[in-house]
Amino acid sequence: MAPAADNTGGGAYEDTNVGDEFYWAAAELYATTGAAGYRADVTGSSYYKGASFTTHGYDWNWTGGLGDTTLALVPTGLPAADITATRAAIVAFAGRLLTQTAR
């Protein structure tokens, strides 16, 4: 993490929670390799099944949604109900954004 006083380039990105980055990485690695260890990391995460979208969605300091997007789009062998829940969370997030922009 860059220090808060670092204003070089785009500035500092103070992000002390890296759990969402690890979830995203595990999702990408699982989708790419199919390895059981990465699957366990994904399915054992508190961000699994669209939980990233309930409060954050997509943001520079919140990457859990990127992992969910991969899992929603790339066939991985995860349970259909889990994929459905992830997709529903993404759609609900998009609906909230549409409501915000309509104001």
Side-chain angles (χ1 to χ4, degrees):
M1 176 174 85
D6 181 359
N7 61 1
T8 306
Y13 295 98
E14 292 186 73
D15 182 4
T16 58
N17 174 13
V18 295
D20 54 311
E21 282 86 0
F22 280 104
Y23 175 71
W24 178 25
E28 298 295 340
L29 289 165
Y30 175 59
T32 302
T33 68
Y38 296 129
R39 179 185 174 120
D41 291 338
V42 166
T43 59
S45 172
S46 62
Y47 305 119
Y48 185 52
K49 294 190 279 185
S52 292
F53 285 96
T54 57
T55 57
H56 295 288
Y58 300 110
D59 195 332
W60 67 265
N61 73 341
W62 189 260
T63 58
L66 298 171
D68 281 334
T69 300
T70 294
L71 298 174
L73 298 175
V74 177
T76 59
L78 290 171
D82 294 358
I83 300 304
T84 298
T86 302
R87 290 177 178 169
I90 293 169
V91 170
F93 173 74
R96 289 193 305 273
L97 292 180
L98 285 172
T99 299
Q100 287 177 351
T101 59
R103 292 181 188 164

